[in-house]
Amino acid sequence: MKKNIWGLFALLLCFSLHAQESYNLVPKPAKLTPIQGKFTFQKNTVITISSKDDSFQAVANMLKEQLRVSTGLLLDVKSGAATSKGVVFVQNANLADEAYHLNVSAKKIEIQAKSGKGAFYALQTLFQLMPAQIYSQSASNETLTALACQIEDAPRYSYRGMMLDVGRYYFPVSFIKRFLDLMAVYKLNTFHWHLTEDQGWRIEIKKYPLLTSISSVRKETMVGHYRDQKFDNKPYGGFYTQEEIKEVIAYAAKKFITIIPEIEMPGHSQAVLAAYPELGCNPDKIYQVATKWGISEDVLCPREETFTFMENVLTEVMALFPGQYIHIGGDECPKKQWKESRFCQDLIKKLGLKDEHELQSYFIRRIDKFVTSKGKKLLGWDEILEGGLSPNAMVMSWRGTKGGIEAAKQNHDVVMSPNSYFYLDYYQADPKTQPLAIGGNLPLSKSYSFEPDLPELTTEEAKHIVGIQANVWTEYISTPAYAEYMTFPRALALAEISWSPKQTKDYDDFLRRVKGILPGMDALKINYCPVGLK
Ligand code: ACM
């Protein structure tokens, strides 16, 4: 008898381990109850939308389209009362905006959400319950199934972001769309588009055409390590027209991704000065678009003309981007030229400021006022905290978590993006085995170990941490393939920390599931770094 009990126990353990192993979901859902069996998509499977809310329609069509492209199966999408079989989308007004319930049984797949947004996330989970073929484009005729289970899911944080630096290198619209596609697969919802840099201005501004004819092109580019000081002697440039930007914004919206544009000021603006030297502290200087990496001393001078210029630029930017936040950079503005400038020193005196740091605060506060007056909110790197901000300004903490903690204590919303966890330009494995990168040491396990719920914050203060973000800085990343390699798999750590409940965090379990979704990542043709995964 005893032996039988142990045998039964072993069998149950085996079944439950097996069942667990099959659910390779990243990010991990808040609650999953395994069920035995599978749903099979067949010719006569019907997708029913049981909601008057139009937003479900687009998501139901995405399922139809994905099945058509991957297997050739063409399903009907209908509106009507919820049925007892097939795929059914049901509106559940009690759920939060991004939450969903997904019930898969042998007979039926039911997706409940408040609107298309939650249904979209349910769909991403459903695809992970299916064979990797669902991500392919081979119309393979394969019959696809989905593992049965009951899921109740909702994100931990509302801001789940990725930044791409297109200033150091320009990435074509086709890659931006792919980046958005891949973000959406893992339920990331905010794309921070770093559009301007010392080395290149990448957004068309109609009022200032020289920004694209001059500021978007550099005469050559640094190659290899910074210490080598070697250059390729080849002009390099690129920019997005406003029409392209609108196209990307519309594309992102279909994937429930908000785009935050970043226009850097007053530092990281050397490219602007190449076209408009009158905005610098040395108007007679011949500025050029930067050709090497690092922090440029050529910064904007806080003249009235500069404010007028930036307000005009931001007016066009705000007209394009429908999201509430406008990122104005604010980081790494060396004060050397302001110290040496008669104009700046006179302005400091006139305004009764202490020094150049307070002058920077004055700059940011003026821009903050302008952005706020237009009904938008200002977002900036943690340097913007020095000197007081409007209450609705948000801070992006990159120099560790200190700036974010301070901002939260001052009642500002915060996105945590600490460099030692989320700068995806850092090496993710032994540099000897990797392509050239900026430096650092940031393996997947380190990214995953970040915990945004910081002990320094009270429960009330912690509510200001709206989410986290990983940044792909591109000084050493000149191609889409390498950008993808540096982004994955570490973006999966970001996705899980920002989506899944804190109490389910477990690196070994995460790594097992990441290995489990490799076939899906292969089907999506993601050029991920395989170190530690294979
Ligand atoms: C930054 O890395 N300078 C935001």
Side-chain angles (χ1 to χ4, degrees):
M1 181 64 189
K2 215 171 180 182
K3 204 170 161 192
N4 279 349
I5 285 176
W6 280 115
L8 190 65
F9 181 69
L11 198 72
L12 280 174
L13 186 70
C14 193
F15 172 71
S16 74
L17 279 179
H18 177 73
Q20 291 271 313
E21 262 169 51
S22 324
Y23 297 98
N24 291 314
L25 304 176
V26 179
K28 189 175 187 155
K31 187 171 171 212
L32 182 149
T33 311
I35 295 176
Q36 237 186 323
K38 286 176 179 179
F39 178 90
T40 304
F41 287 90
Q42 290 164 323
K43 275 200 193 73
N44 62 354
T45 302
V46 174
I47 303 172
T48 305
I49 304 166
S50 180
S51 165
K52 290 199 174 66
D53 183 332
D54 284 349
S55 63
F56 285 93
Q57 185 76 40
V59 180
N61 284 334
M62 283 178 206
L63 172 60
K64 172 180 169 158
E65 185 59 11
Q66 194 109 356
L67 284 162
R68 186 188 69 76
V69 169
S70 61
T71 68
L73 188 67
L74 198 55
L75 299 188
D76 273 346
V77 178
K78 291 183 179 160
S79 290
T83 53
S84 61
K85 56 182 187 171
V87 182
V88 187
F89 286 85
V90 182
Q91 185 169 34
N92 180 343
N94 295 324
L95 291 177
D97 224 23
E98 297 191 307
Y100 68 90
H101 290 178
L102 171 62
N103 296 324
V104 181
S105 68
K107 235 177 118 186
K108 180 177 170 182
I109 294 176
E110 184 178 279
I111 290 172
Q112 289 184 25
K114 184 175 178 180
S115 70
K117 197 187 267 187
F120 180 77
Y121 294 126
L123 200 59
Q124 306 316 312
T125 302
L126 177 63
F127 292 154
Q128 289 190 338
L129 293 169
M130 297 173 69
Q133 178 63 31
I134 187 66
Y135 293 119
S136 86
Q137 303 197 343
S138 62
S140 67
N141 265 329
E142 190 181 320
T143 300
L144 295 189
T145 55
L147 293 175
C149 59
Q150 289 186 342
I151 291 175
E152 290 178 17
D153 202 9
R156 180 178 176 195
Y157 288 106
S158 62
Y159 187 114
R160 305 180 298 280
M162 287 291 310
M163 188 213 79
L164 182 66
D165 165 14
V166 299
R168 272 56 178 258
Y169 282 100
Y170 165 82
F171 291 83
V173 166
S174 57
F175 180 67
I176 303 299
K177 288 182 176 173
R178 174 161 171 84
F179 202 77
L180 294 166
D181 287 343
L182 298 180
M183 283 176 62
V185 168
Y186 304 105
K187 304 185 177 78
L188 299 171
N189 68 356
T190 308
F191 175 55
H192 168 179
W193 206 353
H194 185 82
L195 285 162
T196 71
E197 258 308 334
D198 294 314
Q199 295 83 6
W201 180 282
R202 307 278 175 236
I203 173 172
E204 178 191 25
I205 300 296
K206 303 226 191 246
K207 199 172 178 92
Y208 300 111
L210 302 186
L211 286 173
T212 34
S213 63
I214 293 179
S215 307
S216 78
V217 184
R218 59 180 177 254
K219 77 173 198 305
E220 60 184 358
T221 301
M222 182 166 244
V223 286
H225 275 295
Y226 186 87
R227 60 172 177 262
D228 299 337
Q229 293 288 309
K230 280 205 185 123
F231 297 86
D232 65 1
N233 201 24
K234 282 196 286 224
Y236 181 92
F239 67 90
Y240 308 100
T241 64
Q242 293 201 355
E243 282 312 304
E244 286 174 322
I245 297 228
K246 283 183 205 162
E247 183 188 324
V248 170
I249 292 168
Y251 189 86
K254 286 193 185 132
K255 292 173 182 274
F256 300 94
I257 293 174
T258 301
I259 304 187
I260 298 180
E262 181 181 356
I263 306 296
E264 278 268 20
M265 65 189 86
H268 288 282
S269 296
Q270 190 178 322
V272 175
L273 298 177
Y276 298 98
E278 63 272 25
L279 307 182
C281 287
N282 305 311
D284 298 331
K285 182 171 171 176
I286 310 288
Y287 295 98
Q288 60 166 351
V289 180
T291 58
K292 58 176 161 186
W293 318 130
I295 303 169
S296 170
E297 285 177 353
D298 290 331
V299 302
L300 298 176
C301 208
R303 302 174 192 284
E304 284 310 305
E305 297 91 311
T306 305
F307 289 111
T308 304
F309 175 91
M310 272 305 172
E311 289 175 7
N312 287 336
V313 166
L314 290 175
T315 298
E316 289 192 34
V317 170
M318 290 187 286
L320 283 169
F321 290 87
Q324 57 176 340
Y325 283 103
I326 301 292
H327 201 307
I328 54 83
D331 58 319
E332 298 180 323
C333 179
K335 303 297 183 293
K336 182 167 181 286
Q337 294 184 350
W338 289 5
K339 277 200 175 98
E340 294 168 355
S341 151
R342 169 91 344 248
F343 170 81
C344 289
Q345 293 307 314
D346 287 349
L347 187 59
I348 286 173
K349 270 204 206 93
K350 186 174 143 205
L351 296 170
L353 304 173
K354 201 167 81 203
D355 57 15
E356 296 75 25
H357 296 281
E358 287 201 353
L359 188 56
Q360 158 131 353
S361 301
Y362 161 77
F363 192 114
I364 300 296
R365 274 203 312 271
R366 268 191 70 163
I367 296 294
D368 183 14
K369 238 187 215 158
F370 177 73
V371 168
T372 304
S373 76
K374 300 294 171 194
K376 299 278 188 179
K377 295 179 183 177
L378 180 126
L379 168 59
W381 300 107
D382 55 56
E383 285 94 331
I384 66 165
L385 202 57
E386 300 156 9
L389 291 167
S390 65
N392 64 8
M394 185 155 80
V395 172
M396 193 166 265
S397 190
W398 72 279
R399 296 175 298 179
T401 54
K402 209 165 138 261
I405 290 167
E406 162 110 29
K409 287 187 184 295
Q410 292 182 22
N411 289 325
H412 290 291
D413 280 351
V414 171
V415 175
M416 283 293 182
S417 189
N419 49 3
S420 52
Y421 295 91
F422 292 131
Y423 269 33
L424 303 192
D425 52 337
Y426 292 4
Y427 282 108
Q428 54 195 316
D430 181 351
K432 289 201 275 305
T433 68
Q434 296 297 299
L436 183 69
I438 199 163
N441 173 28
L442 182 50
L444 179 64
S445 56
K446 176 86 194 273
S447 289
Y448 191 80
S449 72
F450 182 68
E451 177 43 59
D453 199 3
L454 295 156
E456 292 90 340
L457 298 176
T458 64
T459 309
E460 272 313 298
E461 288 163 354
K463 287 182 187 155
H464 285 297
I465 311 296
V466 298
I468 56 176
Q469 178 173 290
N471 301 330
V472 183
W473 297 104
T474 60
E475 286 95 332
Y476 293 85
I477 302 176
S478 62
T479 66
Y482 191 27
E484 233 172 82
Y485 180 89
M486 296 303 265
T487 303
F488 289 96
R490 290 178 292 187
L492 302 177
L494 174 93
E496 179 139 319
I497 307 164
S498 58
W499 183 281
S500 309
K502 181 182 173 183
Q503 60 274 19
T504 68
K505 206 167 165 188
D506 175 341
Y507 183 67
D508 291 339
D509 176 56
F510 168 72
L511 189 59
R512 182 188 60 69
R513 284 179 285 111
V514 169
K515 288 176 182 173
I517 63 165
L518 289 183
M521 292 171 74
D522 288 333
L524 286 161
K525 299 192 167 64
I526 300 178
N527 183 37
Y528 55 84
C529 172
V531 175
L533 301 181
K534 288 188 164 169

